[in-house]
Amino acid sequence: MDMTTCLKALLLAVQQYRDGRTAQHVAQLQRQVEEVSGLKCDQLLSSGQILPSECVSGLVELAGNPNTNPTLTSSIISLLAQLACDDNSREILHGSFNVTSTLASIIHCHNATPGEPLVLQCLQVLQKLTYNTRVFQSTNYIHELITFLVTNIQSHNDDIIMPCLGLMANLCRDNHSVQSHIKSLDNVKPFYRTLINFLAHNSLTVVVFTLSILASLTLNEKVGEKLFDAKNIHQTFQLVFNIIVNGDGTLTRKYSVDLLVDLLKNPKIAVYLTRYEHFSACVSQVLGLLHSKDPDSAAKVLELLLAMCSVSGLRSLLCEVVFRPAGPKLRAAGRRQGAGPDGGRKAECGLALVQWLSLPVEGAESCSLQALQLLNELLEEALGAESVSDCVLSFIEMLLPVLLGLLRGLDPAQGDSHLRKHCHRITHVTSLLLILCAEDATRSLVSRQVSAQLCLSQVESLLSCCHSNSPLTCLPPGSDNDLGQLYAEALLRTLELMSKLRQQVKDMETSFYRMLQDQRIVTPLSLALTSHHRERVQTGLSLLFEAAPLPDFPSLVLGESIAANNAYRQREAELSVKRIAVQEVPPSSILDSSNRSVHSLVEKIQNGLELQENVKDSHVSEIIDVYEQKLSAFVSKESRLQDLLEAKALALSQADRLIAQYRFQRAQAEAEACKLGSLLKEAERRREDLQCELSSQVLEVERSRADMEELLQHNARLQQDSEEHQALKGAYNALLNRFNESERLLKELQAAHISLTKQNDTLRKSHEALQLQHDKVASVLEDREEEIRSLHSDLQQKNSDIAGLRGQLQAEEEKVTEKDRERKDLEETVDVLRKELNKTEQARKDARIKASSLELQKSQLETKLKQKEDELNKHSAMISMIHSLSSGKMKSDVNLSL
């Protein structure tokens, strides 16, 4: 069966179940609900049809009735969860059908059994409905729901803790009334302690939910300042980034991004993030998620990056990460407009953004628009610097073909939804191109890629869509989401781009001025000039300044159009006050009067033209344009009145449904009042019993207070003993460190002794060589007197060498004295160690064994020191011998000279 047939059968089954709650009617309604659940229900509620609304209203009413079969209630809730597949449907279920209060009432009825599957199902659906939706404190059963959540979060049931935490995070986020109510609860401090304990939970999802709740409740209080202070915030950043990159799934990543976005709203935490040393690496990993095919993850990543762009200190860092240069192959891949999001998993971060831009309009629309907004922010920051880097220019060169490809594909035959999305995209793309035209270097790149024919065809397509190929069907001014406003904004952005490039692009100036003189430009220009957006008015004024001097510019028609728009706005304000009077007017009379007025105006125009057929009047065309504008205004008024009548009829049906719901709730309230009266009497009796118990409990509390004081005193004594133990432990560690330092110094002395021994051997060898040389010279002097002068010069050279050796010997003597001083320091250190070891023997028995080992090592050190002293004495004897030998050599040299 098709959807309409199933919905009619479902509505009939709901009515039959209301009339008689028999088992047959229950089974029939159950079967119809399951059949509708088996069909595709995407955007069923957002279509605006009455039949789905009636069915959902009846099902919500049955689900909120405590007498409904629990199995049937579970099936209805499953169908509601299936209907809440997009943001619009969730908003309709929450706002129009009060599904949130209905599910809260179901939870309140079953609060005694929180582990029941129906309660868990309601919690999961509520978490889905309340995500990014503000729940007012005046909503029915919201206080009972908050109390239920606080109680069960502190329980030990792991199955219910996670959905309760997720729902609590949704309710607390950006909702000051709910936050104030939670802070006013009596058990809020134990609740905070439970949340802080959850921060060490092994589930990342629980940790994220907990951090989100704590950030909402305590961020501007003392508890939040301690949790998110300068010492802990870097660990929090690392944890959140790790969860975003390596989270348990899309849900965890979604809440992690929301948490970081909420933290960035705090100026102190935003400053902490700018100082976070691993920010660039974390952002690179987050941008790596854009290479996946999941549009939900990509949308949350882009949302996080846009939130970071709101912090001035983070924009430059984001520019460095995103505009990091890619390789030649990646640039070539970026120029392919048809590349999907997984076409370059090894690509750079900027290329991943470009790939999300190139998706079709019917695909991930939010991702494409978010990527455009992000590039707007980043390129504005990059181009605002003193000099534009080469990597930014290369990125813009890669980006331009993709942007120009997005301007194509406007097809009026694909419906209003497609046109609305495409106009949004055109507006963002042209805004980005206008930013690129702000600098000379980037304007030259844009001018080489953009052609006059492209802009002209874009303007022609938008004008044809705006006027539906007829100059008489001009759209009236409406809200921001009105299709006419979207056409006008996209068209004016394109004309502004043509104005920026008219001097650089061939034939652009001619095309620009030709479009300004087109009669169809009047409607978007008048909409911009009468808009309440400052940027649109400024754009319209700049174009009007360019177009006013042109000879064929329709200034008179523009004035009439602006006056008609202002009159329409004034009439809309009057109609908003008099809508009750409008409701009483029959639709047929309004349509007939409007049709008669339109036909009479057409006949007058035709008769006037026939009478003036032979007269050459230059203003006839302008007068025709004025009347065409008025005719279009009348047609728009007729359509608006028809829509208003339909809306009032729908409002009447909804009012009847609300009246029936109110009657049911009133009967339910009266039954609850009777029940509360009996409970009040029972409570009075119990109060008297509890009063007696209270007196006995007071005595017991006093005794408990005395016991508590004794326990506190005992605890203080234990704390003092613990501090003494820690002090002794610190002293022992200090002694151990000093012992290790002494052992290290001993090893250094041994190494120094070995080096001195090697130096002594070299000196002895050199001395023996000099002695042999001296003997040889003495024997040769007698035979070779003719070589005395040359030998005398050689002897002078040898004397200088001996003087150098004497200096070396003196340095060695100084080193020996230094070693003696170090030996004395070591002896003093050993004495100090002996005293400290004696003290340690009295403090701890275990230290005695180590002290004895230290004594043994000390004795070994003393023996080694005595050995070193003996060796040093030998060295001094050898040095004295060298001195004596050198003095004997000096005497022989003197005799020879004589």
Side-chain angles (χ1 to χ4, degrees):
M1 289 191 298
D2 59 347
M3 179 60 72
T4 305
T5 306
C6 289
L7 290 177
K8 289 180 180 178
L10 177 61
L11 188 61
L12 179 61
V14 170
Q15 188 63 39
Q16 291 176 353
Y17 183 77
R18 284 176 182 169
D19 297 338
R21 299 175 181 268
T22 62
Q24 182 180 0
H25 291 162
V26 170
Q28 183 179 0
L29 182 56
Q30 179 86 18
R31 185 171 60 255
Q32 293 299 328
V33 170
E34 292 175 355
E35 286 183 2
V36 175
S37 300
L39 299 176
K40 187 177 181 181
C41 301
D42 295 345
Q43 298 181 351
L44 182 63
L45 294 176
S46 56
S47 62
Q49 299 178 5
I50 299 177
L51 183 59
S53 301
E54 291 291 336
C55 292
V56 172
S57 177
L59 292 175
V60 170
E61 182 181 350
L62 292 179
N65 192 344
N67 298 323
T68 306
N69 191 327
T71 306
L72 179 60
T73 303
S74 177
S75 300
I76 293 173
I77 294 173
S78 299
L79 178 59
L80 294 176
Q82 188 175 349
L83 291 174
C85 56
D86 53 59
D87 294 338
N88 292 331
S89 300
R90 285 194 290 269
E91 181 65 27
I92 292 170
L93 288 173
H94 173 73
S96 301
F97 297 102
N98 296 323
V99 176
T100 302
S101 58
T102 302
L103 295 177
S105 66
I106 295 173
I107 294 174
H108 178 62
C109 292
H110 298 82
N111 59 358
T113 56
E116 190 176 348
L118 182 61
V119 176
L120 295 176
Q121 188 181 15
C122 290
L123 288 173
Q124 293 169 358
V125 177
L126 273 176
Q127 182 180 353
K128 189 175 182 181
L129 285 177
T130 57
Y131 180 73
N132 278 345
T133 302
R134 189 173 182 180
V135 180
F136 294 101
Q137 194 176 357
S138 58
T139 306
N140 293 333
Y141 294 100
I142 191 64
H143 290 172
E144 291 82 358
L145 178 61
I146 292 173
T147 305
F148 175 84
L149 294 177
V150 171
T151 303
N152 285 278
I153 286 174
Q154 300 179 70
S155 66
H156 300 286
N157 189 357
D158 294 335
D159 295 333
I160 199 172
I161 286 176
M162 187 176 294
C164 287
L165 286 172
L167 180 55
M168 181 65 81
N170 292 345
L171 295 176
C172 293
R173 191 183 182 210
D174 296 333
N175 198 332
H176 297 291
S177 61
V178 173
Q179 294 172 12
S180 302
H181 177 71
I182 294 174
K183 293 175 185 178
S184 64
L185 296 176
D186 296 334
N187 57 343
V188 67
K189 290 185 178 179
F191 179 60
Y192 283 169
R193 286 195 292 268
T194 304
L195 292 177
I196 294 172
N197 292 332
F198 279 148
L199 295 177
H201 202 275
N202 55 3
S203 174
L204 295 179
T205 307
V206 173
V207 175
V208 170
F209 287 161
T210 305
L211 282 174
S212 179
I213 297 170
L214 289 173
S216 299
L217 294 176
T218 66
L219 191 57
N220 297 320
E221 296 181 356
K222 292 183 179 180
V223 179
E225 291 177 358
K226 292 180 181 179
L227 283 174
F228 303 103
D229 60 354
K231 297 179 181 179
N232 299 328
I233 194 63
H234 286 188
Q235 297 178 359
T236 306
F237 287 151
Q238 189 64 46
L239 174 65
V240 174
F241 278 120
N242 287 338
I243 294 173
I244 292 174
V245 177
N246 306 315
D248 294 339
T250 307
L251 179 67
T252 308
R253 183 175 294 122
K254 188 186 299 183
Y255 279 86
S256 302
V257 170
D258 293 338
L259 171 62
L260 196 52
V261 169
D262 292 341
L263 292 177
L264 286 176
K265 295 177 183 177
N266 189 296
K268 290 183 179 180
I269 296 180
V271 172
Y272 292 150
L273 186 58
T274 58
R275 301 172 184 171
Y276 183 47
E277 57 182 352
H278 304 298
F279 175 76
S280 298
C282 292
V283 171
S284 299
Q285 293 178 350
V286 171
L287 284 168
L289 298 173
L290 294 177
H291 298 300
S292 66
K293 293 183 179 180
D294 186 11
D296 293 333
S297 297
K300 296 308 292 185
V301 169
L302 294 171
E303 180 184 348
L304 175 60
L305 296 175
L306 285 172
M308 290 179 179
C309 287
S310 63
V311 181
S312 59
L314 298 180
R315 268 199 216 172
S316 58
L317 299 176
L318 285 175
C319 290
E320 293 177 3
V321 176
V322 174
F323 299 138
R324 193 173 295 159
K329 294 183 179 180
L330 299 180
R331 293 194 187 101
R335 293 189 181 95
R336 294 197 300 269
Q337 300 176 12
D342 63 336
R345 290 188 178 272
K346 297 181 180 180
E348 298 294 332
C349 303
L351 185 56
L353 289 174
V354 175
Q355 289 172 344
W356 279 105
L357 285 180
S358 58
L359 291 177
V361 175
E362 299 300 333
E365 177 200 2
S366 61
C367 294
S368 179
L369 295 181
Q370 284 176 326
L372 284 171
Q373 292 174 3
L374 179 62
L375 288 175
N376 270 330
E377 297 284 344
L378 295 179
L379 287 174
E380 186 176 3
E381 175 72 17
L383 297 179
E386 296 179 357
S387 62
V388 183
S389 61
D390 295 335
C391 60
V392 175
L393 293 176
S394 62
F395 178 81
I396 293 173
E397 188 177 359
M398 175 191 70
L399 177 66
L400 282 173
V402 180
L403 292 179
L404 298 180
L406 297 177
L407 294 176
R408 302 182 180 91
L410 184 62
D411 187 7
Q414 293 188 5
D416 290 346
S417 177
H418 173 83
L419 294 176
R420 192 181 301 275
K421 295 176 182 178
H422 201 84
C423 285
H424 276 298
R425 179 177 283 188
I426 290 173
T427 302
H428 284 84
V429 170
T430 49
S431 299
L432 183 54
L433 292 174
L434 287 171
I435 291 174
L436 296 179
C437 291
E439 297 291 331
D440 295 336
T442 54
R443 189 190 299 120
S444 62
L445 293 176
V446 176
S447 61
R448 287 199 295 267
Q449 298 282 345
V450 177
S451 63
Q453 183 61 34
L454 175 64
C455 294
L456 187 61
S457 62
Q458 188 69 36
V459 173
E460 287 287 351
S461 300
L462 289 171
L463 283 174
S464 62
C465 291
C466 186
H467 289 265
S468 300
N469 296 322
S470 174
L472 292 175
T473 55
C474 298
L475 291 171
S479 63
D480 294 340
N481 292 327
D482 188 38
L483 195 56
Q485 291 282 359
L486 297 177
Y487 285 144
E489 187 175 4
L491 180 61
L492 294 179
R493 289 284 184 183
T494 308
L495 288 174
E496 188 179 3
L497 179 63
M498 294 175 69
S499 175
K500 295 284 186 183
L501 298 175
R502 59 184 173 177
Q503 300 296 335
Q504 286 81 18
V505 180
K506 182 181 178 181
D507 298 332
M508 184 66 80
E509 187 172 10
T510 305
S511 302
F512 174 64
Y513 286 122
R514 189 176 74 186
M515 285 292 101
L516 287 181
Q517 298 178 81
D518 196 322
Q519 299 285 333
R520 296 174 294 174
I521 203 68
V522 170
T523 299
L525 195 57
S526 64
L527 288 175
L529 292 173
T530 57
S531 174
H532 58 275
H533 290 282
R534 182 176 58 187
E535 295 180 356
R536 296 179 188 175
V537 176
Q538 290 176 352
T539 304
L541 287 174
S542 65
L543 293 175
L544 181 61
F545 179 78
E546 295 285 344
L550 299 177
D552 294 334
F553 178 70
S555 57
L556 181 60
V557 180
L558 177 61
E560 291 291 335
S561 178
I562 293 174
N565 288 345
N566 291 333
Y568 179 81
R569 291 181 185 276
Q570 184 179 1
R571 195 169 292 109
E572 275 290 316
E574 295 174 356
L575 286 175
S576 64
V577 180
K578 301 178 180 179
R579 291 193 176 181
I580 298 176
V582 173
Q583 183 179 355
E584 297 176 356
V585 180
S588 59
S589 62
I590 296 175
L591 295 177
D592 294 340
S593 62
S594 61
N595 289 330
R596 284 197 300 271
S597 62
V598 171
H599 288 304
S600 63
L601 285 173
V602 172
E603 289 175 0
K604 288 178 181 180
I605 292 172
Q606 291 177 352
N607 293 333
L609 290 177
E610 289 174 358
L611 291 174
Q612 297 179 0
E613 186 176 1
N614 298 323
V615 180
K616 303 294 184 180
D617 192 354
S618 62
H619 296 289
V620 171
S621 61
E622 294 183 359
I623 295 172
I624 291 174
D625 292 334
V626 171
Y627 278 100
E628 288 175 350
Q629 187 71 22
K630 291 182 178 180
L631 286 173
S632 65
F634 281 122
V635 172
S636 65
K637 292 174 188 177
E638 178 184 350
S639 62
R640 287 301 177 107
L641 288 173
Q642 184 66 30
D643 294 339
L644 185 61
L645 290 172
E646 292 178 358
K648 288 301 178 182
L650 181 60
L652 280 174
S653 63
Q654 290 179 352
D656 294 336
R657 185 171 62 253
L658 289 174
I659 289 170
Q661 187 176 358
Y662 168 73
R663 289 173 180 170
F664 171 74
Q665 290 179 354
R666 181 178 177 182
Q668 186 178 3
E670 290 176 355
E672 289 180 355
C674 296
K675 185 177 180 180
L676 288 174
S678 61
L679 291 175
L680 180 61
K681 294 179 182 179
E682 182 67 23
E684 287 293 334
R685 289 194 299 269
R686 290 187 61 191
R687 185 183 65 81
E688 295 176 355
D689 297 336
L690 291 174
Q691 188 68 32
C692 300
E693 294 180 3
L694 181 61
S695 58
S696 60
Q697 291 293 333
V698 168
L699 297 175
E700 188 175 353
V701 165
E702 292 177 354
R703 290 194 297 269
S704 299
R705 188 179 293 111
D707 295 339
M708 184 65 70
E709 291 177 356
E710 292 179 359
L711 288 174
L712 289 175
Q713 293 175 359
H714 182 64
N715 190 16
R717 290 194 298 271
L718 290 176
Q719 186 69 25
Q720 186 176 2
D721 294 341
S722 177
E723 291 175 356
E724 293 177 356
H725 174 70
Q726 292 295 332
L728 291 173
K729 188 176 180 180
Y732 168 71
N733 291 331
L735 288 174
L736 185 61
N737 292 332
R738 295 184 67 178
F739 171 72
N740 293 332
E741 184 68 22
S742 301
E743 189 175 3
R744 184 181 62 80
L745 291 174
L746 178 61
K747 291 180 180 179
E748 291 179 356
L749 287 174
Q750 289 177 352
H753 172 67
I754 293 171
S755 62
L756 286 173
T757 304
K758 292 180 180 179
Q759 291 177 4
N760 189 19
D761 294 339
T762 55
L763 286 173
R764 186 175 66 254
K765 291 179 181 178
S766 61
H767 177 70
E768 291 176 356
L770 289 172
Q771 185 67 33
L772 292 173
Q773 188 176 4
H774 176 71
D775 294 340
K776 185 177 180 181
V777 169
S779 62
V780 173
L781 277 176
E782 296 176 357
D783 299 330
R784 297 182 181 181
E785 292 180 355
E786 66 274 8
E787 297 177 359
I788 290 175
R789 292 180 181 178
S790 59
L791 291 172
H792 184 67
S793 61
D794 292 334
L795 287 173
Q796 289 179 351
Q797 182 68 28
K798 298 299 179 182
N799 288 332
S800 62
D801 294 336
I802 291 171
L805 291 172
R806 186 178 291 112
Q808 291 179 1
L809 288 173
Q810 290 177 357
E812 293 298 330
E813 288 176 354
E814 291 176 357
K815 289 181 180 179
V816 169
T817 56
E818 184 67 18
K819 297 301 178 182
D820 291 333
R821 192 181 301 110
E822 290 178 358
R823 181 179 60 78
K824 292 178 180 180
D825 293 337
L826 285 174
E827 289 176 354
E828 293 176 357
T829 303
V830 169
D831 295 333
V832 172
L833 286 173
R834 185 183 295 109
K835 294 178 181 179
E836 291 178 353
L837 286 172
N838 291 331
K839 294 179 181 179
T840 308
E841 286 176 355
Q842 297 176 0
R844 298 182 61 86
K845 293 180 180 181
D846 295 336
R848 292 177 182 175
I849 300 172
K850 294 183 180 180
S852 62
S853 64
L854 286 174
E855 288 289 339
L856 179 60
Q857 291 177 3
K858 180 185 71 62
S859 62
Q860 292 176 356
L861 284 174
E862 288 178 351
T863 56
K864 289 181 181 179
L865 286 174
K866 290 179 180 180
Q867 292 176 1
K868 287 185 179 182
E869 287 176 356
D870 297 335
E871 290 174 358
L872 287 175
N873 292 328
K874 292 179 181 179
H875 286 310
S876 61
M878 292 172 66
I879 290 169
S880 62
M881 290 173 64
I882 292 170
H883 277 294
S884 63
L885 289 173
S886 61
S887 61
K889 186 177 180 181
M890 290 286 291
K891 291 178 181 179
S892 63
D893 290 339
V894 172
N895 293 329
L896 289 173
S897 63
L898 292 174

